[in-house]
Amino acid sequence: MDRTLQIRFTSDTHGFLYPTTYADTADRPCGLMKLASEYPRNGNTLILDGGDTIQGSPMTNLYHRLPKDTEFVCDNRYGTNPFSAMMNLAGYQYVTLGNHDFNNGLDALYDYLSQLDAICLCANIRDKENRLPIAPYAVHQLENGLRVGLVGLCTHYVSRWENPKTVEKLVIEEPIPAARRALDAVKPLCDITVLLYHGGFECDLETGRLLSESAENQACRICRELDFDLVLTGHQHMPVPGVRFGNSYAVQPGYRAPHCCAVTVTVHDDGSKSFESRLIPASGKPLEGAEALLDPLERRVQTWLDTPAGHLDLPLSVGNHLQMAVDGCPLVNFINTVQLEASGAQISTSALANELKGLPTTVTVRDVVSTYIYSNTLVVLEMTGAVLRQYMERSAAYFDHDADGKLCLSDEFMRPKVQHYNYDYFSGVDYVIDTQRPIGSRVVSVKLNGRELPMDETVTVCINSYRFCGTSGYHMLPEQKVVREIQTDVADAIIEYVTSHPNIHVDTHKYCTILP
């Protein structure tokens, strides 16, 4: 008789539990609460999550700021950590770790995992003191007798992105060798093998063509080299309802919980397996009791978000990313102004998120945290004019031309996932990019204080901690001398700047000229 496994899988929820984006107070089709109301509750269904759970929303931002004896949850039977409490109420059984789950340090991660009913699986990352409750794999038997072998895995780029003080407390392995060991151990014990991988696809899923040389995402290689039946991916925020790739069937949900992946695996009498999958949108009502559970924290969040901060002399609107890169963007200038004051550097760089809100003239905390969504700190580097040009050249690869010769965005920044956040805007220096020149030789002028910057002259440049890790082609940055590290979160620095400068004149200078 055929037997089936049902799965509900989320990943990259980034602390979006309520049906809101926090850009306003409107009810939206998103949030873990709405998804969880549709989860089947039976012995043949597994509720799984792929990580990046405790960072990325105004709720996570405020939670990590408040004293830990604050009342966050109205029913402590589910725990006092709001994110584990919601996962417990929703019935999650197994999770893995995402890179952003390490952003607030191991104490914050322990606070979450130690109160989580679900078992955390991660075969390639552990803490050296074995304090975090993490297992490499597990075997779960369903009511129908099927034995499911589950393995967890996280991108090893945690070692590049995270605070060195956190990384030094971890043992981080390459994903594939660790996954192979875990698979070899679990496979003889089960009927179905499932990988929870916080990493994405490095190839075109239709043609198999390699789209990125980076080892940040290795799902396609995993599907080719290993033989997991099902690979549940994340990290890229790229919805993939279901695809057969290599030896495996794979899916990926989007981020901020707009939907979950529903997967059905049928094991037939002859031992063969078939797969069906779809994305289920967060379109229903929230899970019963969920809104009330976190009401003490949510009320604090909404009050904090509506706190007035300061005033700008013009609204910082946003639009098409290509147009902003060509015409200049006062919003990025403003972020760079904040970073220049906080760092004392000569030059500052910043990028824009894929999705943007912008800032009105009267700024609230809600406006700031909805506009700068990343958990970044700042680093001041000393580099020569030659290295600065090399840095700019990487950003200049953002541009391309279509078949008609019109300026467009490079496929490298748009596939397999959209990466507007990997194009940097520079303030404090005037520079010219000629997009018709070959990649690597497009920056034709760099002027500091009105004069061409010599190749051997040193300058100080403020960048964010994500860029400092050197991924996405910015390998030259970690090699530079660190002058200063500023551990203040950039969103906090913006709030502090707006609060301490109640009437702000926005820098509208166009630092970059794009040719033609």
Side-chain angles (χ1 to χ4, degrees):
M1 183 177 69
D2 291 353
R3 293 175 293 174
T4 61
L5 160 67
Q6 296 283 340
I7 288 175
R8 297 295 183 268
F9 173 63
T10 54
S11 187
D12 301 272
T13 56
H14 284 284
F16 282 84
L17 307 181
Y18 279 79
T20 179
T21 63
Y22 289 106
D24 52 37
T25 58
D27 185 274
R28 303 289 184 186
C30 66
L32 185 59
M33 292 180 182
K34 284 194 172 182
L35 292 178
S37 67
E38 302 299 325
Y39 292 168
R41 308 292 176 129
N42 60 63
N44 295 319
T45 299
L46 290 177
I47 312 300
L48 311 174
D49 185 76
D52 275 6
T53 307
I54 60 173
Q55 177 279 336
S57 71
M59 178 176 277
T60 65
N61 292 347
L62 184 61
Y63 174 73
H64 293 300
R65 286 173 169 84
L66 292 172
K68 290 303 174 241
D69 59 356
T70 306
E71 182 182 356
F72 299 112
V73 177
C74 70
D75 188 343
N76 288 350
R77 290 179 301 169
Y78 297 99
T80 57
N81 181 293
F83 308 102
S84 54
M86 184 54 58
M87 300 285 278
N88 293 342
L89 180 64
Y92 279 84
Q93 295 153 287
Y94 298 93
V95 304
T96 194
L97 298 173
N99 55 288
H100 284 292
D101 293 325
F102 294 91
N103 282 175
N104 292 288
L106 296 191
D107 286 344
L109 183 53
Y110 177 80
D111 179 51
Y112 164 64
L113 291 180
S114 64
Q115 299 188 57
L116 191 65
D117 293 342
I119 297 172
C120 182
L121 305 174
C122 193
N124 69 316
I125 300 180
R126 63 176 177 84
D127 68 299
K128 293 179 179 178
E129 296 180 353
N130 291 316
R131 179 175 171 233
L132 298 175
I134 303 172
Y137 61 84
V139 176
H140 185 101
Q141 184 162 332
L142 304 179
E143 280 187 1
N144 62 22
L146 282 177
R147 297 163 301 165
V148 184
L150 299 115
V151 175
L153 209 61
C154 181
T155 174
H156 63 298
Y157 273 41
V158 169
S159 61
R160 300 192 182 193
W161 295 326
E162 273 311 309
N163 187 317
K165 292 181 180 179
T166 297
V167 172
E168 69 184 13
K169 299 176 183 177
L170 299 170
V171 176
I172 303 173
E173 292 186 73
E174 292 270 348
I176 290 182
R180 182 177 284 113
R181 287 198 309 271
L183 179 60
D184 288 344
V186 78
K187 193 171 182 180
L189 308 175
C190 62
D191 305 296
I192 303 170
T193 54
V194 177
L195 176 65
L196 292 166
Y197 173 44
H198 191 84
F201 302 102
E202 72 275 26
C203 298
D204 185 293
L205 294 177
E206 293 184 1
T207 67
R209 180 173 65 89
L210 185 66
L211 299 174
S212 172
E213 297 284 351
S214 170
E216 173 186 347
N217 299 297
Q218 299 186 24
C220 293
R221 184 182 167 197
I222 288 170
C223 291
R224 284 172 172 147
E225 296 184 14
L226 305 180
D227 58 353
F228 284 98
D229 294 314
L230 178 63
V231 177
L232 307 175
T233 72
H235 183 58
Q236 281 176 311
H237 305 172
M238 182 177 75
V240 177
V243 63
R244 168 62 70 173
F245 196 97
N247 302 315
S248 305
Y249 191 85
V251 302
Q252 184 175 142
Y255 85 124
R256 296 186 179 182
H259 50 246
C260 67
C261 292
V263 185
T264 301
V265 185
T266 302
V267 179
H268 302 285
D269 290 340
D270 61 1
S272 63
K273 304 176 184 75
S274 58
F275 302 84
E276 296 178 6
S277 60
R278 60 193 173 100
L279 300 177
I280 298 180
S283 57
K285 293 181 179 180
L287 177 66
E288 184 177 354
E291 292 176 299
L293 179 65
L294 301 188
D295 185 62
L297 176 56
E298 178 67 4
R299 282 189 282 109
R300 282 178 174 267
V301 172
Q302 294 296 344
T303 300
W304 174 60
L305 289 174
D306 289 329
T307 303
H311 186 81
L312 306 174
D313 64 350
L314 57 90
L316 301 180
S317 58
V318 295
N320 177 279
H321 279 82
L322 175 60
Q323 207 60 51
M324 289 187 292
V326 172
D327 294 340
C329 181
L331 174 59
V332 186
N333 285 4
F334 171 65
I335 295 170
N336 279 330
T337 297
V338 173
Q339 294 184 176
L340 286 170
E341 178 165 304
S343 67
Q346 295 169 277
I347 299 165
S348 176
T349 74
S350 189
L352 290 175
N354 289 345
E355 298 177 14
L356 294 167
K357 179 176 182 290
L359 296 173
T361 52
T362 300
V363 182
T364 65
V365 173
R366 186 187 302 275
D367 297 318
V368 174
V369 299
S370 299
T371 298
Y372 198 97
I373 63 173
Y374 301 116
S375 179
N376 288 327
T377 56
L378 297 173
V379 182
V380 179
L381 301 179
E382 182 179 275
M383 64 184 70
T384 64
V387 173
L388 178 63
R389 285 172 172 81
Q390 189 182 4
Y391 178 10
M392 290 176 165
E393 288 287 358
R394 175 54 192 155
S395 278
Y398 184 62
F399 303 101
D400 200 353
H401 294 88
D402 63 20
D404 296 325
K406 293 182 179 180
L407 193 67
C408 65
L409 298 181
S410 167
D411 264 3
E412 184 181 357
F413 286 77
M414 300 301 291
R415 299 179 67 196
K417 73 170 185 175
V418 178
Q419 302 174 60
H420 296 301
Y421 54 80
N422 277 325
Y423 173 75
D424 278 1
Y425 296 76
F426 295 72
S427 290
V429 62
D430 294 296
Y431 57 110
V432 179
I433 294 173
D434 186 344
T435 62
Q436 289 188 324
R437 293 174 63 90
I439 290 175
S441 61
R442 290 179 165 183
V443 180
V444 295
S445 175
V446 180
K447 291 185 177 180
L448 182 68
N449 299 324
R451 62 181 179 84
E452 200 70 29
L453 180 67
M455 292 289 189
D456 59 353
E457 183 174 321
T458 59
V459 291
T460 53
V461 182
C462 179
I463 65 174
N464 66 54
S465 52
Y466 174 78
R467 189 64 77 235
F468 181 54
C469 74
T471 56
S472 303
Y474 292 98
H475 55 82
M476 74 293 299
L477 297 178
E479 302 170 357
Q480 306 311 305
K481 177 183 176 181
V482 176
V483 177
R484 185 184 175 198
E485 293 185 60
I486 302 155
Q487 293 302 323
T488 303
D489 188 272
V490 176
D492 285 343
I494 296 172
I495 294 169
E496 171 62 27
Y497 183 91
V498 174
T499 303
S500 59
H501 300 72
N503 294 292
I504 298 168
H505 176 68
V506 175
D507 178 11
T508 58
H509 182 71
K510 188 169 181 273
Y511 290 96
C512 181
T513 300
I514 304 294
L515 301 177

